[in-house]
Amino acid sequence: MARFGSVVTAMVTPFDDNGGLDVDGAVVLARHLIATGSDGLVVAGTTGEGPVLTDGEALDLFRAVAEAVTVPVIAATGSNDTAHAVTFTRSVAGIGVDAVLIVTPYYNRPSSAGLSAHFRAVAAATDLPVLLYDIPIRTGRRIGSDLLTRLASEVPNIIGVKDATGDVAGAARVVAQTPEQFEVYSGDDSLTLPFLAVGGVGIVSVASHWAGQAMAEMVSSFNAGDLRGAQLANHRLRESYDFESSDLYPNPVPAKAACRALGLPAGQCRLPHPEAPESLVADARGVIERLHQSSLNRQSVA
């Protein structure tokens, strides 16, 4: 079993009608996700709109979710400001979270030496496990397999990476070159199965807001040696992969629409994401219904 589970949901952050943080809604959502296939939660990450939360809001969210569930809770405390990331990471000690997620510094585009110094400084500020987050499409800079290998070998509490590079071959190199206890999670739902095939341990998922059980089935089938079952589950999830983000409606806008379609707390996103139309909720409902129907069809055939 992977340290944080095989299906870890990057949870959306619910807001009320006035755009305020809905802590009670976050608790309801967190419990729902755990009941529908999620083994763990990332809180206040990209999907959780971390960049538009104040530190105080994020701390309230971390505390409430950690108290509400018994699965691992990973607090996203990264920043493009090393000093802020260090201070904020220190502030989550003792509030019940199980690890921190540290994203590559965005916008600054530091060198490999700068990245190394940044990650080492943040890791030194906490006794918690540190999961790095490599997402060059949003940060403008890739960590790279060589630096990941050095950090994994030299910094004891850097224990894994959420890899959203889209580079399966690169992930295979990281798996091969890092210590056995270093874990690679896919950061792209659509690449979960290929990542598992090269030694990844699971997915930090967006689609698991509405497709958690299907995601869990795909991973468990693969781990049980049922490759055909994993392939079929992956096929059923293709529409969800396409829905979860687009140029018109980037993540987390569709995920929040899906939550609203399910009657779960979500609200709209904060700016700079504009308000999503009700038509997107209707689209989400269609995706969810077809996924549910395909699962029923599979069960009837089996």
Side-chain angles (χ1 to χ4, degrees), residues 155-274:
V155 185
N157 61 331
I158 293 181
I159 50 74
V161 62
K162 175 186 175 183
D163 186 328
T165 65
D167 181 1
V168 178
R173 284 194 297 274
V174 171
V175 170
Q177 295 171 359
T178 53
E180 184 177 356
Q181 65 271 22
F182 187 84
E183 297 182 329
V184 176
Y185 280 86
S186 174
D188 294 300
D189 282 307
S190 63
L191 292 179
T192 303
L193 191 52
F195 265 66
L196 292 172
V198 299
V201 299
I203 174 66
V204 179
S205 176
V206 176
S208 53
H209 282 88
W210 65 91
Q213 290 167 329
M215 297 294 298
E217 179 189 339
M218 177 174 63
V219 176
S220 63
S221 294
F222 180 87
N223 288 338
D226 180 10
L227 183 56
R228 182 56 179 163
Q231 290 171 336
L232 291 173
N234 187 57
H235 293 335
R236 293 197 302 275
L237 284 159
R238 285 182 300 173
E239 187 179 15
S240 292
Y241 301 154
D242 292 338
F243 175 74
E244 69 183 54
S245 191
S246 67
D247 287 341
L248 185 59
Y249 298 120
N251 178 46
V253 177
K256 282 198 156 182
C259 287
R260 295 197 298 277
L262 290 167
L264 294 168
Q268 294 282 351
C269 293
R270 285 179 176 173
L271 289 172
H273 288 301

Side-chain angles (χ1 to χ4, degrees), residues 18-108:
N18 297 315
L21 181 65
D22 181 4
V23 174
D24 291 340
V27 168
V28 170
L29 177 59
R31 289 173 173 162
H32 170 83
L33 293 171
I34 300 312
T36 55
S38 296
D39 302 315
L41 301 170
V42 169
V43 179
T46 303
T47 306
E49 298 177 80
V52 298
L53 298 175
T54 67
D55 287 358
E57 287 177 324
L59 287 170
D60 288 344
L61 196 60
F62 298 152
R63 189 178 294 108
V65 172
E67 290 175 354
V69 300
T70 57
V71 300
V73 174
I74 304 169
T77 60
S79 168
N80 66 332
D81 174 358
T82 304
H84 179 229
V86 165
T87 300
F88 192 34
T89 299
R90 284 179 178 148
S91 72
V92 305
I95 68 171
V97 300
D98 299 278
V100 293
L101 179 72
I102 306 299
V103 69
T104 309
Y106 39 87
Y107 187 73
N108 312 62

